[in-house]
Amino acid sequence: MIPIRYLAPLGLLLVVPVLTACNKAPQEYEDTQLIFGTLVETTLYDVDETTAEHAFTALREDFEYLHFIWHPWQPGPLARTNELLALGAEFSVNPSVLPVIERSRELSPASGYLYNPAIGKLLDLWGFHSDDLPKGPPPDAQAITALVEQNPTVDDIEIHGIRLKSTNPAVKLDVGAMAKGLAIDWELAELKDMGISNAVINAGGDLKVLGRHGDRPWRVGIRDPRAPGVLATVDVQDGESVFTSGDYERYYEYQGKRYHHILDPRTGYPADKSQSVTVIHPDAAVADAAATALFVAGPDEWYAIAKKMDLHYVLLIDAQGRIHMNPAMAERLRFLQPHETILLSEPL
Ligand code: ADP
Ligand code: MG
């Protein structure tokens, strides 16, 4: 998703990482930071400059810290945790990573394990644990099957206080499908604690809002997965987050086929039933994990998982470009162009 009013200056923001007062509205401040491989934009509305400066400093420090502790392949607490999990013996974990592990253990079973943060070894095998995109060919089919058969899940991790142990040597944690959500939840709460009532934290289109933008709600655009620009817009209410998973974020093509970064843990291959999934939910960690899980689920299975996760707003574009939604989501979205196939599910 891309907040509409940012579409044009997105490139510019990359080179203006300093505190900037926007000329559009009074007392509006923006800050951008490259974190989690994404440009994170924070917009504060109706605040004074001192508060904005203070808030941006705090957020920058926090995001950098979270980026460090959760990084899936660079040395740090999560990478160290993975080394120790692989040994199979009990160890004292760096407590900084406990909250994200706990949250993953709650959300993965809720998603029918389609959000599965224990498949780090599969992601390694596909070459996605690198700053550069893999070039192909895809990995050896037997190596993929071998990892899938070991069936690593968060349930294989035993936790007693800060003591951890994995009963399955195939477990390797990658919290990338939920980390942005959890981080945004925490940072938006921090802004609220600072007395800020109107704000957006937007990590490359995944976002959460506080309050309103003056006399109207924050309005964001949902990206078209196959064309540049916006598919639909939605007004986001106070405390809501909007998260999208798509096959266009990180992918490579090999012999005309697209291989992207969201894997179906049941097959070990990139999930091929969806182009993108958008979830609106008050809890950004839920929205993030759910968007990934429903992307894997695809048009036939998304509804059951959405029910299980207690979601109320889902949009799924399937591999054929057909649009699937629940009726409440359909009521909220404003499509920029008419669409031939819109399939409404039962209410969620
Ligand atoms: P993005 O980070 O692009 O917004 P997602 O939230 O869908 O997209 O997260 C995708 C990331 O999650 C991948 O880059 C990978 O690190 C990890 N991942 C891939 N497939 C799964 C899965 N089925 N369950 C959990 N994590 C996954
Ligand atoms: Mg996600």
Side-chain angles (χ1 to χ4, degrees):
M1 242 129 335
I2 310 159
I4 292 241
R5 58 197 194 80
Y6 304 152
L7 281 175
L10 197 62
L12 281 180
L13 290 173
L14 266 171
V15 291
V16 193
V18 290
L19 189 70
T20 48
C22 304
N23 52 14
K24 264 187 209 158
Q27 298 170 307
E28 180 168 333
Y29 295 92
E30 286 183 5
D31 193 32
T32 57
Q33 184 181 7
L34 190 61
I35 222 85
F36 305 139
T38 313
L39 199 63
V40 178
E41 283 176 11
T42 304
T43 306
L44 308 179
Y45 187 82
D46 199 15
V47 293
D48 61 71
E49 189 171 343
T50 312
T51 307
E53 265 170 14
H54 179 61
F56 290 151
T57 305
L59 257 56
R60 277 174 170 270
E61 279 176 10
D62 288 359
F63 277 130
E64 265 163 36
Y65 174 71
L66 297 175
H67 179 95
F68 165 68
I69 63 170
W70 292 342
H71 204 286
W73 65 85
Q74 281 169 14
L78 190 65
R80 179 73 185 138
T81 302
N82 280 328
E83 283 169 21
L84 294 167
L85 284 172
L87 299 178
E90 197 179 271
F91 62 96
S92 293
V93 72
N94 185 322
S96 67
V97 293
L98 269 181
V100 78
I101 297 177
E102 300 274 15
R103 208 72 219 281
S104 303
R105 272 157 63 91
E106 169 202 330
L107 292 174
S108 183
S111 75
Y113 300 93
L114 298 184
Y115 160 65
N116 184 345
I119 60 166
K121 287 200 179 190
L122 266 174
L123 290 157
D124 275 348
L125 185 67
W126 277 92
F128 284 113
H129 279 166
S130 162
D131 290 329
D132 305 317
L133 277 172
K135 292 189 181 64
D140 175 53
Q142 279 182 341
I144 294 175
T145 312
L147 280 176
V148 171
E149 280 174 355
Q150 289 187 76
N151 189 27
T153 75
V154 286
D155 300 342
D156 298 323
I157 303 174
E158 292 175 6
I159 306 185
H160 304 285
I162 62 156
R163 303 289 287 168
L164 251 63
K165 174 188 167 149
S166 172
T167 53
N168 182 344
V171 167
K172 182 170 185 181
L173 293 171
D174 175 317
V175 295
M178 191 203 59
K180 265 189 282 179
L182 192 56
I184 289 178
D185 274 333
W186 288 352
E187 295 315 305
L188 214 71
E190 191 172 331
L191 293 180
K192 213 172 170 177
D193 291 344
M194 291 176 185
I196 294 166
S197 315
N198 303 288
V200 182
I201 303 181
N202 172 20
D206 291 333
L207 56 94
K208 182 164 181 171
V209 316
L210 269 184
R212 296 162 66 83
H213 186 256
D215 56 3
R216 62 172 176 80
W218 295 99
R219 177 169 295 174
V220 301
I222 296 173
R223 181 171 159 177
D224 187 323
R226 287 293 178 272
V230 165
L231 181 74
T233 64
V234 62
D235 287 346
V236 192
Q237 305 303 324
D238 180 31
E240 277 187 326
S241 55
V242 187
F243 273 68
T244 300
S245 280
D247 62 4
Y248 48 81
E249 289 285 358
R250 282 197 92 200
Y251 70 93
Y252 66 94
E253 277 176 12
Y254 182 76
Q255 297 186 339
K257 199 169 158 20
R258 179 184 293 226
Y259 296 95
H260 63 82
H261 69 150
I262 302 174
L263 302 182
D264 185 336
R266 301 167 298 188
T267 64
Y269 282 81
D272 59 3
K273 299 191 181 83
S274 317
Q275 295 176 0
S276 75
V277 171
T278 301
V279 173
I280 305 178
H281 197 276
D283 185 321
V286 171
D288 197 354
T292 307
L294 299 189
F295 182 97
V296 174
D300 298 333
E301 289 177 286
W302 74 265
Y303 184 77
I305 307 283
K307 273 249 177 231
K308 211 164 127 69
M309 297 189 83
D310 198 25
L311 307 180
H312 300 289
Y313 301 102
V314 177
L315 162 72
L316 182 148
I317 323 275
D318 70 21
Q320 283 73 44
R322 292 173 304 200
I323 293 172
H324 305 252
M325 290 179 286
N326 63 304
M329 183 63 141
E331 267 179 34
R332 292 188 65 174
L333 296 182
R334 265 177 283 177
F335 285 88
L336 268 56
Q337 281 170 359
H339 280 270
E340 276 174 22
T341 321
I342 296 189
L343 300 155
L344 289 189
S345 71
E346 293 295 309
L348 272 172

